[in-house]
Structures are given as C-alpha cells and as structure tokens.
Amino acid sequence: MIRFILLVIMLFFGYVSKPLWEEPVQQLDPSSIWASVHDTVDQFKEDPTINYVLDTLTQQLHSLLEPSDHPQLESSDTFIQAPELVDPRDRLFSIHNIELGNSRAEVEQIIGGSPKRSTINEYDISWDAYHENYQNFIMVAYDEEDIVRGLYTNQDLISSSTEISLGSPIQLVQRQLGTPETFIQYRLFNFRMNSNGEYDVFNLDNSYVTIFYDQHENNTVTAIKIIDEELEQKKNAIYSEPSQQLQEGFEYQLFDLTNASRRNHDLPLLTWDDHVRETARKHSLDMAENQYFSHTNLQGQSPFERMAEDNIEFMTAGENLAYGQISSIFAHEGLMNSLGHRENILKVDFLYLGVGVAFNNESQPYFTKKFFSIT
C-alpha cells in the first residue's frame, strides 16, 4: 500500500511540475515547485470527487519534501534513530585518560596540576612532564595552540580499546596491531628503523605509536610514545638541529625518565647535580668532536678519574653512555635494555645524577650520565 501511494505521489508530482522541467536548471527553486503544485490543486477545488485525493496527496508531499528535525531509519514497525557522530578524538590509545587532540586545559583538569618541567624536544616543541614525585609520570607535547600532539609514559597509565597495557607481551601487541612499520616516510627522506627488537612503530589513528619492550622482562611492554603524524613528518632530517635548548631538554628529559623508572622499581629517587653535569658534558663533547665512543677518553682517563679531576667527591659512581639515538626517550629505553647500564639506572646506592649531551657535526647526540653517592 505504501509503495502504491508513493508511486501515485511521484506521478502526480511529475505531472504538476512538468512546466518546470522545460526551464533552465539554474532557475529551479523549491518555492516555485510548491507554487506550481498549489496552482494545479486550486484548479480542481470545485470537484468534490477528487478533493479528498488531492488533500491526501498534498499532505504526503509535505511529509516527504519538508525536512525533519530528527532523521530516522525505518525498519518494519520500528523506528531506529540515526547513530550519533563519533568524537574524532576517540583513539585506540590514551595515556592517563589523555589523547591526542585534547587541550592543555583539559589535560591539566584531568591531571589536577601544572607540569613539573617543560623542555624542548626533537620536534622543536616542548615535552611537559607531569607527575607526583615521579608517580603517574607522563610527558605531553603541545603545539602553538596548546593542543596535545605527543604523549609518552613508562608507567601503568596506558588505556586502549585493545588488550594492550603495560606488561603485555610482544606477541599480543603484534597480534592486536598487525605488522609494524619498517620505515617512516618524511618529506625529504625515508628513515628505516632498526629496533633490534626493542620497540615497534605502528601508524594508527593518524599518529605514530611506538611500543617499547623490556627485553629483561620477557619482552613485555615497558613504555609507549604517541606522536601526531603531521608533527612527525614536519621533520626535515632524522636528527634535530642542535641548540642549547635542545641540549638542556635532552639532559633533563633523560634525568626525569631515569627517576620515573626508579619509581617503578620502588627505589630512592635521584637528585640532580649541576657539578657532575659539567663533567658529563665535557665527555660527550670530547667524544662528539673526536669521533669516538668509550668510557675511557683519548688521554686514557676513566670515568672516575675525570670526576676526581673536576673535584667531585664520591664513594660510589657509575657512568652510562649512549650515542646516535634520536631523542632522550630512545636513549633511555635502549639503556634499560643494556644490562650493565640498566644496573646503574636501578642501583639502590646511587643518590645523585647529572646528564651531559653534545652533538657531532651530523647533529647526532652523545649522552653521558654520571651517577654517584657520597656515603
């Protein structure tokens, strides 16, 4: 019956609007269509036989052509409301209930405070570090409009619509997320990743998601970094242009990452030491300028001899070196997967830490970490 009525309506509508077909398309107007319909209807008003039919058809035309405030789909006798639009910021992963696309105001309302430190990163914007004495540690990168473009954590703050969380095995990650990327395409070059099984990178939700694994904890998820795809691909080179701000950024970021890992293992937090930072910087610069990589410098001095030369008193000390990683995050995760360096990071006796960074003529960073205690 409904189909028959619709067919009659279409034929009626086609007949009364026929004069309009003969006009140029650009002259068509919805109001002129209705005017033609009503003019035709008026011609038949005096005929009671078809009055009823015309009234019914007019009502049906109104119901079909006039817009509805609530679009619905019809299924049998049940009306199904059209689905609500999904928030475009809804993503596969969030950190501390924060996602790419959130505003700074939203982030700080969720966290309940301001960042403890803000330092320049490899994307020429800042990592803002939020934590409570290194508990609930998260780094957030904002663009110039205070919108979140990057996230990182190495603590149990990962939420996902998948089953992936901190401590998940690598097999689960790859089963849930598929084949990881083997290279990232930038505007001027392609960067081939050689992770040695320490991390996987996935292109998801218009972002690059890097999942880091702890090789000393059965290759389980130890950290996650999420970077907006557009921000990542703004880079003109894999290594960022060196600057004093970037140097200090890498130094303080590596310090914060170290303390966040110590918090994970219920160890005493380290105190920053400016004096030993200068010793570390000198060794990084020496290696960068003279193109070597070793705990012993070209004069044959050990890490402990260099500290003594700079009048640093210590009872125990240790040194970690990293070279060529694109950021402090990759340097830290690599050091945690190197057993001797990991032992320094997690050594209960150490109380102080200074980090020194320098860049060679290819913009590659050298990282030197100096740990010590005086008792």
Side-chain angles (χ1 to χ4, degrees), residues 50-104:
I50 62 174
N51 247 349
Y52 174 77
V53 175
L54 289 175
D55 287 342
T56 302
L57 290 175
T58 302
Q59 290 173 9
Q60 292 289 343
L61 283 171
H62 275 287
S63 66
L64 288 173
L65 296 178
E66 290 185 352
S68 171
D69 292 335
H70 303 286
Q72 293 178 332
L73 301 175
E74 183 178 355
S75 174
S76 185
D77 294 331
T78 305
F79 288 92
I80 304 174
Q81 189 168 354
E84 295 181 3
L85 293 177
V86 177
D87 188 335
R89 294 182 309 185
D90 287 345
R91 295 175 180 268
L92 196 62
F93 288 98
S94 66
I95 298 176
H96 207 345
N97 294 320
I98 298 165
E99 299 178 347
L100 299 189
N102 283 133
S103 68
R104 180 185 291 271

Side-chain angles (χ1 to χ4, degrees), residues 144-356:
E144 63 278 2
E145 296 178 352
D146 277 342
I147 301 300
V148 176
R149 298 302 180 201
L151 293 165
Y152 168 88
T153 190
N154 60 358
Q155 296 187 347
D156 192 12
L157 301 172
I158 303 169
S159 297
S160 175
S161 57
T162 70
E163 300 174 13
I164 298 168
S165 61
L166 200 76
S168 294
I170 186 174
Q171 296 85 352
L172 173 64
V173 173
Q174 295 177 349
R175 187 166 64 248
Q176 294 278 327
L177 301 184
T179 304
E181 303 293 317
T182 56
F183 66 90
I184 298 179
Q185 183 175 0
Y186 296 94
R187 287 181 295 178
L188 303 179
F189 62 96
N190 290 334
F191 173 62
R192 181 169 293 278
M193 289 167 285
N194 183 19
S195 69
N196 296 317
E198 294 183 357
Y199 61 87
D200 283 326
V201 179
F202 301 91
N203 191 197
L204 306 165
D205 294 336
N206 297 316
S207 64
Y208 287 104
V209 178
T210 305
I211 308 289
F212 295 94
Y213 306 110
D214 191 330
Q215 296 181 326
H216 300 287
E217 294 288 344
N218 300 316
N219 288 309
T220 52
V221 175
T222 189
I224 185 172
K225 174 190 170 191
I226 307 171
I227 294 293
D228 180 83
E229 183 176 25
E230 183 179 351
L231 177 63
E232 183 72 54
Q233 294 185 345
K234 279 184 178 178
K235 296 175 69 176
N236 292 319
I238 190 61
Y239 294 107
S240 304
E241 187 69 24
S243 68
Q244 182 179 350
Q245 283 184 312
L246 184 61
Q247 177 189 37
E248 292 180 351
F250 279 174
E251 290 169 348
Y252 284 117
Q253 289 156 23
L254 195 48
F255 173 79
D256 288 340
L257 291 162
T258 301
N259 263 342
S261 289
R262 287 177 71 90
R263 173 61 74 191
N264 287 344
H265 291 82
D266 298 320
L267 296 171
L269 299 176
L270 301 172
T271 300
W272 177 264
D273 188 271
D274 273 323
H275 192 180
V276 82
R277 189 256 294 268
E278 293 307 315
T279 303
R281 271 188 176 181
K282 287 191 293 185
H283 188 58
S284 288
L285 183 60
D286 189 35
M287 291 188 294
E289 289 182 341
N290 294 290
Q291 300 180 4
Y292 74 96
F293 184 65
S294 173
H295 290 286
T296 302
N297 66 15
L298 299 181
Q299 288 73 44
Q301 291 178 310
S302 72
F304 314 107
E305 290 171 324
R306 288 185 274 107
M307 290 176 68
E309 184 179 63
D310 287 344
N311 299 313
I312 297 172
E313 297 181 1
F314 60 92
M315 183 65 68
T316 58
E319 180 178 84
N320 282 359
L321 302 179
Y323 155 66
Q325 288 84 358
I326 61 176
S327 71
S328 50
I329 289 175
F330 282 92
H332 173 71
E333 299 300 338
L335 290 168
M336 284 293 287
N337 277 324
S338 173
L339 190 57
H341 297 103
R342 180 190 185 94
E343 289 174 352
N344 279 341
I345 292 171
L346 302 180
K347 190 175 181 66
V348 67
D349 295 335
F350 289 147
L351 299 176
Y352 300 95
L353 172 62
V355 181

Side-chain angles (χ1 to χ4, degrees), residues 104 108 114-121 125-131 139-142 146 245 248-250 252-253 256:
R104 180 185 291 271
E108 297 188 354
S114 301
K116 297 293 191 294
R117 196 192 309 277
S118 182
T119 51
I120 292 296
N121 62 26
I125 59 178
S126 294
W127 277 126
D128 283 15
Y130 298 87
H131 56 87
M139 296 202 303
V140 183
Y142 300 100
D146 277 342
Q245 283 184 312
E248 292 180 351
F250 279 174
Y252 284 117
Q253 289 156 23
D256 288 340

Side-chain angles (χ1 to χ4, degrees), residues 42-54:
D42 288 341
Q43 295 175 13
F44 293 96
K45 277 186 177 178
E46 296 180 358
D47 190 335
T49 306
I50 62 174
N51 247 349
Y52 174 77
V53 175
L54 289 175

